[in-house]
Each structure stands twice: as structure tokens, then as C-alpha cells.
Amino acid sequence: MSLLVVGLSHRSAPVSVLERAALAAEAQGKLLQDTVAAEPATEAAVLATCNRIELYADVDKFHAGVAELSTLLAQHSGVGLDELTPYLYVHYEDRAVHHLFSVACGLDSMVVGEGQILGQIKDSLARAQDLHTAGRLLNDLFQQALRVGKRAHSETGIDRAGQSLVTFGLEQLAAGGAIPAWAAGRKALVIGAGSMSSLAAATLARAGVAEVVVANRTFDRAERLARILAEGDDTTVAARAVPMDAVPGELTRADVVVSCTGATGLVLTAEAVALAVEGRTGRPAAEIAPEAEAEEPRTPLLAAGADDNCPLDLAAVQPGFSVAGEAAVAGMDAATLEQHAAWAAGTTVDRRERRTPEADAELIAALAATAATVGRIPERRRPEPVAEVPRPAPALFLLDLAMPRDIDAAAHRLAGVRLVDIESLAEASADAPMAADVDQVRRIVSDEVAAFGAAQRAAHITPTVVALRTMAADVVAGEIARLDGRLPDLDERQRGEIRQAVHRVVDKLLHAPTVRVKQLAAEPGGAGYADALRTLFDLDPETVAAVSRAGDSTDKKDRPA
């Protein structure tokens, strides 16, 4: 059996795809159960966070495993397999171990070095254990990943390379200023009472906000979080809980809103945010036009369905984009891009002079060359409103950490609103400086991957060595019994001397080869030594399997719940 991971993350997929592929807790449990029920997999674990969905499994066939895990991810996420496949990545055996260890250390996080991923890995393992889908391999893997992550944070300064997504998001809301200075005296509304929302509430409380209001669908959880905040030794914040239907009224009172729920639809619509701004300022919340619509004279864009020869699905194009421009062709494969470039060069769309069909065709042709190399063009987020259009000081700060999103992205276009979401955090973090400690963490990961692989390969041969020694002990016992029958006159002392002599001979004969075979098996490519040992000594496969089952049973007793 071998470790396989199939997944997608903020590094491989646009936020719009991650948002649609997000798995609720119930869906994650069903995915685990269906995975272990499938033929290629015997163990499974799901790591699902706001910016990644990964399915880990112990499989006996690589190609069948990739096909099955990809299909299961598509089925349970609701995103079609054809659409999901271009964004999936696959890691196998040591590369899969390296990937998870890197994730645990924060090297693959949107904000490099953030430590919250360790809690998410722990939760993933606990879920797999509760559903009995994690066996020896995944238990060992995830527990070691937690240890590697803790080692990276304790032995290096990786924490300086980044911070939690919550802190990074609040820094973006503060527009680069100090969070305590920005937060002091403000009133905060936190929607949700899960781990991310709890972290946001605690961070805001420590930063000096005057009040934290917690809203959650399960009111008891909101009350519990509010009580913890109010009774905390390191804060003096006033905290209270409200039901979800009180959110519209609380929006009018709040200065800062953080939302992270498991809802599949929007929690805050742009209309609700506009009403809150109007309630705070006494004036209707004006909408700031995007760049393409703010310039005069305004030029028409190509209407959906206006040209049947366009290779692009015009109905799916977002308003405000040139259908011949870069954003419109996001995600296309190389062949379709080439067709689209030819169409763009011949079209007569009335657009701004600085975006001519010829210029767009050149851009698309360049994108096609890129797609031929990397496989696809990543989706790009709509640019911010033009700098020339002044925005009033924000009356309401919104931080959306949910996946799929809780807050309507259109709220960003409202005057008096500053919205930071997962998509804008991804863009901001791309320019964040990397700490020198990252290289040290990478070395730790490489060393730990090698050690984990050696331990797993050594463990793989252990049942065979145990079965060999058991067979040798049975042979010795049989020969001693036969000797007792042939020499009945031997006294007990003589029998004991003979028994010890025979055991010493057998132990000495087996010592060197069994120690050496464990060393060889721990090296890369050493998996075949167990098979060779079984063949050379004609060991019963069922005896070896029985030793493995006994080891698994012992491991389960020792594992934390």
C-alpha cells in the first residue's frame, strides 16, 4: 500500500473554484466513508480549510487511486470532474509526505508561517479517527506532521515570516497601520463561533476593541465564546452573544465585522451592508463604479451571445470585462486560447482605444503559449476601483474568512466600506516578504521526510522479521521435544543446557541478517527485502499478516482519541 494525496488549494485553483468545491463537515465525513469503501483505498483523511481541500488515502494502485479520489472529490464537492481536474494536484509516497509536512509548517499557507494549520490538521486526524477511516499509515503520518510543524515553530523564526490569516486580514483592514491603534475603542461583530471566528474574536479583544458581539446559529456556542472573552485575564472587553436574526441590527452598531461560518450561501448581502452603512451615516451608501464603467465616454462591451463564432462561453463572462481581454479567458486551455486569439484579431468590438482587438489578440496569443507550458491560465480578480475616484473613510470594516464566502463581494463597491476577503488576502500575501527562516524550515521538512520514510520502510519489514523469528522458535521447540523423546534419561539441568545452546545458535545465525535487512529496508527502494525474506525462508503469508494485524490492534489502543 502507498500514500496518495489529491487536492486543490489557493496555489492551484482560483478562489471561485475553491469556493464552490468547499466541503461542509457532513460532506467531509461522507467523503471519508465513500473513499474507504472504494476498491483502491483502505485508509482516508480529509484536510479541508478555507484555502485547500485535500484527500489523503492509502492505496494499492496509483492510477486507479488517482482516478477514484478525483472522482470522489468532484462528486462530493458538486464541481464537475472535467471542470475540477485542471486545478487538482497529485502527490505520491514521499512527495505526499513532503507536501503534508510543508503544509504543517505553514510553508504552503496563504500567509507563510501561520500556525493555525496545525489545529486544522489535528481536527482532520480526529475526524478520520472518529469515523475509523485512519489506519496505521495515516495516524502515523498526521501525528508526525503535527510534530514536524511544532518543531518548525519552536526551532526557527518561521513565525516571523507570517501570522495567522486573522491577523493578516486585520492588518489589511488597518491599511498597514498598527492593529491596536486601529482597533482601539471600536465595536466588533463576529459572525460564527468556530475556530477561525473564535481566533478573530480573541485577537480583536486583545487588540483593544471596546465590545465584541458574537452571533451564531447555535446560540449556546455564541454564549460560550462571549463568556470566555468577557472572563479572559488578558482583556477587559465587553462581550455578549446574539442570535443570527439580530445580525442586521448589530450591523448598524458595529465598526468591524468578521464572518466565518459554514454556510453555503451568503450571510451578508450587499443590500444588508448598504442598509447598515446608511444606518450609521444617515446617508444612502453610494456605489463606486468599477474602472471600466467609471471612465467617460463609456463604450459598450460585446453583449452575451452577440457573436456565435466566439469560442468563449459569453453567458459566463462577468460584467465589466472585455470578452477579448485577459480576465475573460482565465482558465482556458491552450487550444481554445489560440482559437480565441484568432477570433479577437478579426472582431470589431467597440472598446476603449487603449484595448484594441489587435492588442487583445497579442495578449491572448501570449497566454496561449503560457497555457501550453503550465496547462491553464489562472483566474484573476477584478481590479480595485480606480485611484482617481476618491473613497470616503470607511464607516464599516468587513473581514470575510469563510469558504465559500459569507459576504457578498459586491459590498466592496460601496462607498464607506472596506472589505477584505480570502481572494484579496491571496493577492496581498503574494507580495509578502519571505523570512530567511523559511530555508531552515525546508531543511527540517526534508530531514523529517527522509526519517519518516525510513521508519515506514523499516516498519514494513518488521512483521516479516517477527514471523521469521517465530518460525525459528517453533523449529527449536520441535527439535527439543524430539530430543526429549529420544533421550529420556537426561536430567533437567542437561535439558536446560541443550535448550539454551540451541537457542543461542539460532539467535546468532539470525541476528546479523535480520539487523542488516532492517537497515536495507529503511533505505529508498528497500521495500523488496521483505518479499525476499519471505521467499528465502518460505514464510507463511498469513503468519506475516497476523503479525501486522496484531501490531495495528496495539497501535489503536495507544492512539489518542
Side-chain angles (χ1 to χ4, degrees):
M1 305 298 285
S2 300
L3 178 65
L4 174 68
V5 55
V6 177
L8 65 161
S9 74
H10 65 101
R11 294 185 183 277
S12 71
V15 171
S16 58
V17 174
L18 280 172
E19 196 171 42
R20 291 168 52 211
L23 296 171
E26 184 179 347
Q28 292 176 39
K30 189 66 168 62
L31 173 58
L32 287 175
Q33 292 169 333
D34 289 353
T35 301
V36 294
E39 183 178 345
T42 58
E43 301 181 35
V46 172
L47 179 56
T49 72
C50 59
N51 53 30
R52 75 178 64 251
I53 303 127
E54 297 176 344
L55 179 55
Y56 291 78
D58 189 8
V59 300
D60 58 359
K61 298 181 181 69
F62 172 73
H63 293 292
V66 171
E68 187 65 33
L69 267 58
S70 302
T71 300
L72 287 167
L73 275 175
Q75 289 175 349
H76 288 271
S77 68
V79 180
L81 182 59
D82 289 344
E83 183 180 359
L84 192 64
T85 298
Y87 304 110
L88 293 177
Y89 47 76
V90 174
H91 299 297
Y92 190 55
E93 294 187 327
D94 283 354
R95 291 301 307 170
V97 177
H98 189 282
H99 175 73
L100 181 59
F101 287 4
S102 296
V103 169
C105 293
L107 292 178
D108 199 58
S109 294
M110 187 178 293
V111 182
V112 174
E114 60 94 9
Q116 189 179 1
I117 186 65
L118 288 173
Q120 294 163 332
I121 291 174
K122 185 177 180 180
D123 292 342
S124 297
L125 175 58
R127 183 182 301 108
Q129 289 174 334
D130 289 343
L131 295 173
H132 306 289
T133 63
R136 169 182 282 182
L137 176 60
L138 292 185
N139 268 287
D140 290 349
L141 174 69
F142 274 67
Q143 289 178 359
Q144 186 61 26
L146 291 171
R147 286 190 284 268
V148 173
K150 291 175 183 177
R151 180 189 169 193
H153 284 280
S154 65
E155 295 184 11
T156 75
I158 187 66
D159 292 330
R160 295 194 296 269
Q163 59 279 89
S164 76
L165 204 59
V166 170
T167 306
F168 191 59
L170 293 177
E171 285 184 350
Q172 299 304 304
L173 285 183
I179 293 177
W182 165 79
R186 296 187 187 273
K187 297 177 181 178
L189 170 62
V190 176
I191 305 176
S195 59
M196 187 79 82
S197 299
S198 299
L199 178 62
T203 303
L204 286 167
R206 287 193 297 269
V209 294
E211 181 186 42
V212 176
V213 178
V214 183
N216 193 57
R217 296 189 188 282
T218 305
F219 185 68
D220 289 347
R221 295 189 65 185
E223 277 192 315
R224 179 175 178 273
L225 177 55
R227 187 169 58 254
I228 292 172
L229 293 171
E231 297 174 355
D233 295 334
D234 57 346
T235 66
T236 57
V237 69
R240 57 188 174 90
V242 298
M244 285 295 287
D245 57 12
V247 165
E250 294 296 338
L251 269 179
T252 305
R253 300 180 64 254
D255 301 301
V256 184
V257 180
V258 179
S259 186
C260 186
T261 73
T264 55
L266 292 175
V267 174
L268 295 180
T269 62
E271 291 77 12
V273 174
L275 288 173
V277 173
E278 183 176 351
R280 291 176 61 83
T281 63
R283 300 184 303 276
E287 182 174 332
I288 298 175
E291 181 180 0
E293 298 173 359
E295 293 185 353
E296 297 292 344
R298 295 176 63 180
T299 54
L301 297 170
L302 183 67
D307 193 329
D308 293 336
N309 295 322
C310 177
L312 181 66
D313 179 9
L314 296 176
V317 176
Q318 292 180 316
F321 282 128
S322 160
V323 298
E326 181 178 359
V329 298
M332 278 191 180
D333 57 34
T336 308
L337 278 167
E338 290 175 356
Q339 295 175 8
H340 194 61
W343 173 84
T347 190
T348 56
V349 182
D350 181 16
R351 292 190 303 279
R352 291 167 291 166
E353 290 183 359
R354 64 191 184 97
R355 290 298 299 272
T356 64
E358 291 76 13
D360 277 330
E362 291 179 5
L363 172 61
I364 294 169
L367 292 173
T370 302
T373 304
V374 302
R376 65 177 180 83
I377 297 299
E379 186 172 313
R380 299 177 72 92
R381 187 173 181 268
R382 171 145 192 83
E384 304 290 340
V386 292
E388 299 88 62
V389 178
R391 299 192 68 152
L396 187 59
F397 296 85
L398 305 175
L399 176 58
D400 184 0
L401 298 174
M403 183 62 70
R405 73 184 72 219
D406 280 348
I407 303 175
D408 189 346
H412 176 75
R413 304 249 312 264
L414 297 172
V417 172
R418 179 175 296 163
L419 170 62
V420 172
D421 57 16
I422 293 295
E423 198 163 17
S424 57
L425 285 176
E427 293 177 354
S429 65
D431 298 325
M434 298 281 284
D437 301 272
V438 168
D439 288 337
Q440 186 179 351
V441 173
R442 287 177 176 149
R443 288 193 292 272
I444 288 175
V445 168
S446 296
D447 292 343
E448 291 285 356
V449 169
F452 182 83
Q456 289 295 308
R457 288 187 290 269
H460 177 69
I461 204 169
T462 297
T464 303
V465 172
V466 172
L468 174 60
R469 289 193 171 276
T470 300
M471 183 192 74
D474 290 342
V475 170
V476 169
E479 289 301 315
I480 293 297
R482 188 177 69 83
L483 184 64
D484 287 345
R486 296 184 62 182
L487 299 173
D489 296 334
L490 292 175
D491 59 32
E492 192 56 36
R493 186 186 64 79
Q494 292 170 327
R495 286 191 175 89
E497 287 291 341
I498 293 172
R499 190 178 298 111
Q500 288 184 15
V502 175
H503 276 294
R504 282 197 297 270
V505 170
V506 172
D507 287 343
K508 287 182 178 180
L509 286 174
L510 290 181
H511 176 73
T514 53
V515 169
R516 184 59 180 146
V517 78
K518 285 183 178 181
Q519 293 171 342
L520 293 170
E523 297 175 0
Y529 287 101
D531 296 332
L533 207 60
R534 287 193 293 270
T535 301
L536 287 171
F537 288 92
D538 195 22
L539 298 176
D540 181 6
E542 181 54 34
T543 302
V544 177
V547 174
S548 297
R549 287 194 295 270
D552 285 341
S553 176
T554 302
D555 287 344
K556 288 175 183 175
K557 291 179 183 177
D558 295 336
R559 285 170 190 149

